[in-house]
Amino acid sequence: MSGFLYGVALQWKLDIRSKSLLVTCYIVPLIFFLLMGGIFTSVMPEMRSTLIQSMIVMSVSMGAFIGLPPSLIETYGSDVKKVYKANGVPLYLGLVTMFLSAVVHLMISCAIILLLAPILFEAALPVQLPFFFLALTIYIIVSLSIGSILGLVVKNQAKLTMIAQLVFLPSIMLSGIMFPIDLLPDFLEAIGRIFPASWGYRLMLDNGFCLENLWYLILVFCAAVIICTILLNKQKSK
């Protein structure tokens, strides 16, 4: 157990020095928050009630789909995997440590948004903070599980960038954080519901923590765990 905790702590320290993680988990999401927060609340003052949830969905999506997968490629698509095998280290350890480290970084980024939004843009704080943080944790874990699949399946960095954008952009545009989802055509609204962002967004809204908004996220996470387990088992035979 102590070795596992040491691995998580070491990975967190390595991630702090990672320029890619710094950009995707902190710099870009926070710049987006600072710029778009003012625009959204000026054009649509009523958005102050959902600004925190909207900006958090963007931050988590970017960190999970664009930030985590390249780190996994560096481990499982390189000689690092051979080092794991040579030293008898379970292959899943790299995925688990990077996953937990990413959870911590995304939590910090979301906490910054939560603290600054009411001060800078008079955004409304969630009414039930315990349920909000529980919903946020669930959404982060589910999003990172999808990012884990991307990092384990795609072996080429250029292809990964393209595929990650194909997941990230619909998550943002069709989730309802930019504009009410009711304004979308029915087929685009249906496509948006495929991505966890729309479900996570509704789950984090006031009085949104219910089974109706939770079941799909649980289903996606369970499927992602199974897929990641299969992919890691295939890695052992290579």
Side-chain angles (χ1 to χ4, degrees):
M1 186 64 181
S2 59
F4 173 76
L5 294 176
Y6 173 78
V8 174
L10 178 61
Q11 184 63 49
W12 191 78
K13 292 178 182 178
L14 291 173
D15 286 342
I16 290 178
R17 301 178 182 179
S18 170
K19 293 181 180 178
S20 174
L21 193 83
L22 181 66
V23 169
T24 56
C25 286
Y26 294 101
I27 295 178
V28 172
L30 292 178
I31 289 177
F32 181 86
F33 160 67
L34 293 173
L35 292 177
M36 299 306 295
I39 295 174
F40 284 157
T41 52
S42 297
V43 176
M44 297 178 288
E46 68 277 5
M47 197 171 179
R48 288 188 174 92
S49 62
T50 60
L51 181 66
I52 291 175
Q53 292 85 346
S54 298
M55 296 298 103
I56 281 177
V57 166
M58 189 276 174
S59 177
V60 172
S61 297
M62 174 161 281
F65 304 143
I66 300 179
L68 176 64
S71 299
L72 292 173
I73 284 185
E74 291 176 2
T75 297
Y76 293 99
S78 67
D79 292 336
V80 176
K81 182 177 67 174
K82 297 179 181 178
V83 175
Y84 275 36
K85 290 182 177 180
N87 290 276
V89 178
L91 280 179
Y92 68 81
L93 185 64
L95 172 60
V96 173
T97 54
M98 281 183 267
F99 189 100
L100 293 177
S101 176
V103 170
V104 174
H105 285 292
L106 289 176
M107 276 292 188
I108 293 173
S109 177
C110 293
I112 293 172
I113 292 173
L114 183 67
L115 292 173
L116 291 181
I119 299 173
L120 298 178
F121 309 116
E122 298 180 357
L125 283 171
V127 175
Q128 298 174 308
L129 282 176
F131 283 111
F132 170 79
F133 278 109
L134 180 57
L136 172 59
T137 303
I138 293 171
Y139 174 56
I140 288 176
I141 290 173
V142 174
S143 297
L144 287 173
S145 67
I146 296 175
S148 299
I149 295 175
L150 294 178
L152 293 174
V153 170
V154 186
K155 306 300 180 184
N156 182 278
Q157 184 66 52
K159 290 182 180 179
L160 176 62
T161 301
M162 180 180 65
I163 294 173
Q165 290 291 344
L166 291 176
V167 178
F168 170 71
L169 291 177
S171 296
I172 299 304
M173 301 303 297
L174 305 179
S175 62
I177 69 168
M178 306 288 285
F179 42 79
I181 197 170
D182 296 337
L183 298 178
L184 293 172
D186 291 341
F187 78 97
L188 286 180
E189 184 177 347
I191 293 174
R193 293 183 184 278
I194 297 175
F195 300 91
S198 62
W199 298 86
Y201 173 65
R202 288 185 294 168
L203 192 69
M204 287 186 288
L205 293 175
D206 291 336
N207 301 315
F209 195 91
C210 58
L211 185 60
E212 180 183 354
N213 297 327
L214 186 59
W215 71 268
Y216 184 77
L217 295 175
I218 295 174
L219 179 64
V220 170
F221 176 71
C222 292
V225 170
I226 294 172
I227 294 172
C228 286
T229 301
I230 294 172
L231 292 172
L232 287 173
N233 287 332
K234 287 183 177 181
Q235 292 276 354
K236 292 180 182 179
S237 60
K238 293 182 180 179

